[in-house]
Amino acid sequence: MFLLHEYDIFWTFLIIASLIPILAFWISGLLAPVSEGPEKLSSYESGIEPMGGAWLQFRIRYYMFALVFVVFDVETVFLYPWVMSFDVLGVSVFIEAFIFVLILVVGLVYAWRKGALEWS
């Protein structure tokens, strides 16, 4: 009834895809030089000696700006398959895509009115 040998290629790919990063980290751990000291433990700031502490508070506005960017960046990922197969799928998919874009435009207007797109 249910034959597991049909999935041999899948399991082989899954095992190889899991082993490659594990082996890469293991080999780099073996070959990497170990040198701990004050220079290794200090934070890196473009080759300049760091000033002040490493813990700084950022305003939530930067995170909101990044979140709005990610939402609209992911939008293009979802719209691309619809655009490429529009001639096959027909008008119903166009209506769904239009509703999707309309919801995103409403979100953009909301974020704009709340000031999430203001950088300063």
Side-chain angles (χ1 to χ4, degrees), residues 10-26:
F10 169 74
W11 292 114
T12 305
F13 178 76
L14 187 68
I15 290 170
I16 291 172
S18 300
L19 284 178
I20 287 175
I22 291 171
L23 286 174
F25 279 115
W26 183 69

Side-chain angles (χ1 to χ4, degrees), residues 4-112:
L4 283 177
H5 72 281
E6 292 179 4
Y7 294 99
D8 287 344
I9 294 173
F10 169 74
W11 292 114
T12 305
F13 178 76
L14 187 68
I15 290 170
I16 291 172
S18 300
L19 284 178
I20 287 175
I22 291 171
L23 286 174
F25 279 115
W26 183 69
I27 291 171
S28 70
L30 287 176
L31 298 178
V34 178
S35 60
E36 293 185 18
E39 290 294 320
K40 176 87 173 181
L41 297 176
S42 71
S43 60
Y44 180 74
E45 243 179 70
S46 302
I48 302 171
E49 192 68 30
M51 296 182 295
W55 293 99
L56 299 174
Q57 274 191 330
F58 291 99
R59 295 170 57 189
I60 190 70
R61 185 173 310 261
Y62 300 122
Y63 297 110
M64 293 299 295
F65 195 82
L67 187 62
V68 169
F69 169 76
V70 168
V71 166
F72 287 100
D73 193 42
V74 170
E75 167 202 358
T76 59
V77 172
F78 285 128
L79 285 178
Y80 187 73
W82 280 339
V83 170
M84 294 307 295
S85 59
F86 175 70
D87 56 343
V88 177
L89 297 175
V91 177
S92 64
V93 173
F94 175 74
I95 294 171
E96 289 177 12
F98 184 75
I99 292 171
F100 178 69
V101 170
L102 188 65
I103 291 170
L104 286 171
V105 167
V106 168
L108 177 63
V109 170
Y110 176 77
W112 196 345

